[in-house]
Amino acid sequence: MQTVRATLVAAATAVALVVSSPAASAGEANSKLALTISVDGAIGPATARYVKDALTKASERHAEVVVLRMNTPGGLSTSMREIIADVLASRVPVVGYVAPSGAHAASAGTYILYATHIAAMAPGTNLGAATPVQIGGPLPGLPDATPDKSDKEKKDGGDQQPKTKDAMTAKATNDAVALIRSLAELRGRNADWAEKAVREAASLSANAALQANVIDLVARDQAELLRQIDGRVVEVAGGDTRHLATREAAREAVDPGWISRLLRVITDPNVAFILMLVGIYGLIFELSSPGAVAPGVIGTICLLLGLYALNMLPINYAGLGLILLGITLLVIEAFNPTVVLGLGGIIAFVLGAVMLFEIEAPGFRLSWPVIGITAAMFIGLILVVLGSLRRARRGPIRLGAQAMRGLSAEILDWSESEGHVFTQGERWQARGTEAFKPGEVVEVANIVDLTLVVRRRPVLTVAEGGSL
C-alpha cells in the first residue's frame, strides 16, 4: 500500500514539473520589463529626485533596462551630477534616448547622455552646447577663437595687454571637461568632441553624432530602440555584465511621485520667491493682529516651503539679505511713514531680487515681470499708507482730551456741583457749575485729570440756523 502511494506521489510530481516547466519558461520569456523615465524641461532638484526614485523602482522590479528619454535645454550642475551618480551606480542598464524628433539634450543633458550605458537619439534631434555658464557676463575663461590679424598686430605692437582669464570660470570649465572626458572614456565614446562641446559649445545632429562615435545608435521610436539594443552586452555597477534581451520586453512608463511633482513646482525660482514673500507678510500680519490665526498658519507654511526651495537652489546670500532688509524697511515705513525708508526698502528689495540667484541656467531665472509686479505692489502699499496718514492728519481728532470736547453725556447722578455721567460706553466722574437731574443730556466742555467738565447744550435760535 505504501509502495503504491509513493508511486502515485512521484507520478503527480513528475506531471506537475512537466506542465509547469513550459509555463515557467513562457512566463520568464514574458517577464522582461523596460521602464521609461521622461525628462522634459530644465533639470533641477525635482528631476534628480524623480530619476533616483525611478532607478530604485527599476532595481526592485528587476527591470531588464531603463530608457531615460530626454528633451532638455540643460539645468543645474548639482542636479546633473546627482543624476550621473545614480546612473553610474545603477544595477539596471540605463539607455539615454534623445526623443522625440525636434528634441535636444543640451548642456546638462549632454553630460547625462554620456553617462548612460547606451546612448541613442531620434532623427531630427541634437545635443551639445555643454559649456558651464555663470551669471553676469559672457563666457570668460574659455579659449578665445583663433585671433585675427588685427588682434595679432595689437599684441605685437604692445597696444593691448593680454586678457586676464576669469579664474573661477576657468576652474568650472576645466572641472566640466574632466567630468565629461571621464564619462566618455568609461563608455568608450568620443572624448575629444566631448571636450569641444564644453570649451567651444559645439553641437551635433543625430546622424553626425553617430558618425562621430558620440552616440551608439539612431532609432525612430522606442520600439525600434529596444529592437536595436537587443543582444548587446553592457557593464553595470560592480563590474557585472548584462546581456540585454529587450526585443519582446514590455514597456512601462514611470510617473514622478507627488514629492517630485511638488519639488518641480516650488523649486521654480519665481514660485520660491513668491512663497517667501507670502510667508514673511503672513507672519507680519499675524504679529500685528494677534489671534487672526489664518495669516500666521499660511505664512509659516509658505515661508518654510520657500526656504526649503531656496536651500535647494544656488542663491546669492547677499541678494537674500538685501531682500530681507528691503522688506524690513517697508514694514517700518508702514508703521512709521517717512518716505525715505519706503524708497530705500524698494531699492534694496529690487537689487536683492536681481542678485538672488547665482546662475542663469534655463528654467531657473527669476522673471523680471515678477520682480516688477512685486515692486509695484510695495509702491502701492506705501502710497496707501501715505494717503491714510494724510487723511488722518486732516480729519477730526479722535483721541485724547480734545476728542472728548463736544460729546454728549447722560447724567447718572448729581449732587451740588459734582456727579457721574455716561458717555462713549463708559462711566465718568464729572463736575459743573449748574445743577442737573439724572437722565438729563449734557455736553462735555473739557476734561481735567480724568474728570469731565460738563454744561448744558446751547439752544440754537432760528436766526442762527437751528430749530427751537
Side-chain angles (χ1 to χ4, degrees), residues 133-311:
V133 180
Q134 299 293 327
I135 192 168
L139 306 175
L142 302 183
D144 295 337
T146 303
D148 57 20
K149 184 178 180 181
S150 60
D151 290 337
K152 186 176 180 180
E153 290 174 355
K154 289 180 180 179
K155 184 175 180 181
D156 294 339
D159 294 335
Q160 183 179 1
Q161 296 295 328
K163 294 182 179 179
T164 303
K165 185 178 290 187
D166 185 340
M168 293 299 296
T169 305
K171 288 171 62 177
T173 302
N174 292 333
D175 180 65
V177 167
L179 172 63
I180 201 166
R181 287 194 69 95
S182 65
L183 295 174
E185 294 167 0
L186 177 66
R187 302 304 185 198
R189 301 193 182 111
N190 191 332
D192 293 334
W193 183 88
E195 181 173 351
K196 188 177 179 181
V198 175
R199 294 192 181 278
E200 302 177 16
S203 298
L204 286 176
S205 63
N207 291 328
L210 181 62
Q211 295 175 2
N213 191 32
V214 173
I215 61 173
D216 301 302
L217 53 97
V218 175
R220 289 190 300 271
D221 52 35
Q222 192 168 332
E224 181 180 345
L225 173 66
L226 294 178
R227 287 195 299 270
Q228 289 195 42
I229 66 175
D230 182 67
R232 291 189 179 233
V233 178
V234 296
E235 182 178 340
V236 296
D240 299 334
T241 57
R242 294 282 297 271
H243 189 278
L244 301 182
T246 57
R247 182 175 295 273
E248 302 297 332
R251 288 177 287 166
E252 181 180 329
V254 180
D255 296 325
W258 69 270
I259 295 180
S260 297
R261 290 195 294 268
L262 177 64
L263 281 177
R264 178 170 290 277
V265 174
I266 67 174
T267 52
D268 183 294
N270 300 292
V271 176
F273 183 68
I274 294 172
L275 283 174
M276 186 182 67
L277 294 182
V278 171
I280 291 174
Y281 274 97
L283 295 180
I284 291 173
F285 292 149
E286 178 66 26
L287 294 175
S288 61
S289 302
V293 180
V297 173
I298 297 174
T300 302
I301 294 174
C302 291
L303 183 60
L304 291 176
L305 288 175
L307 291 176
Y308 177 72
L310 291 178
N311 182 60

Side-chain angles (χ1 to χ4, degrees), residues 2-57:
Q2 293 179 351
T3 303
V4 175
R5 184 179 299 173
T7 303
L8 292 175
V9 171
T13 304
V15 171
L17 289 174
V18 172
V19 173
S20 62
S21 295
S25 299
E28 184 178 355
N30 296 327
S31 64
K32 304 301 182 182
L33 179 63
L35 296 181
T36 303
I37 305 173
S38 298
V39 175
D40 294 302
I43 294 173
T47 311
R49 177 63 180 262
Y50 168 41
V51 173
K52 185 180 187 68
D53 293 344
L55 291 178
T56 302
K57 183 181 293 186

